[in-house]
Amino acid sequence: MSPPTQSDCLGCHEVKEKNIGPTYVAIAEKYTPAKENNKYLTSKIIKRGKGVWGEIPMTPHPTVSQADAAEMVNYILSLKGVK
């Protein structure tokens, strides 16, 4: 798997280096790959997120399909343990 490149995710997130939003590795460390976490994170990508990582909100991505958002989450959570 590779980072999502068809969306604007990399404008705020990077794999290992802090940008505007948390790194993908930090997200993977915070959330265990589990059905409820995958559903929660998929929803945050599509609807928006705020408050977990600070006060800067993540913009909503309503044009991202449920399947594409789930694939993004699977990639991000696959980075658990990456240094």
Side-chain angles (χ1 to χ4, degrees), residues 14-62:
E14 294 186 31
V15 174
K16 295 181 182 179
E17 290 188 34
K18 176 81 170 100
N19 194 345
I20 295 167
T23 66
Y24 290 153
V25 170
I27 296 167
E29 291 303 318
K30 185 172 185 69
Y31 296 98
T32 303
K35 186 177 181 178
E36 58 274 357
N37 286 338
N38 289 40
K39 185 176 178 181
Y40 169 73
L41 293 171
T42 297
S43 175
K44 287 184 71 122
I45 289 170
I46 295 170
K47 294 179 180 176
R48 86 186 259 292
K50 183 179 184 221
V52 175
W53 299 94
E55 290 304 310
I56 298 173
M58 181 173 77
T59 58
H61 300 86

Side-chain angles (χ1 to χ4, degrees), residues 52-73:
V52 175
W53 299 94
E55 290 304 310
I56 298 173
M58 181 173 77
T59 58
H61 300 86
T63 60
V64 173
S65 72
Q66 190 81 21
D68 286 347
E71 187 175 332
M72 290 176 194
V73 170

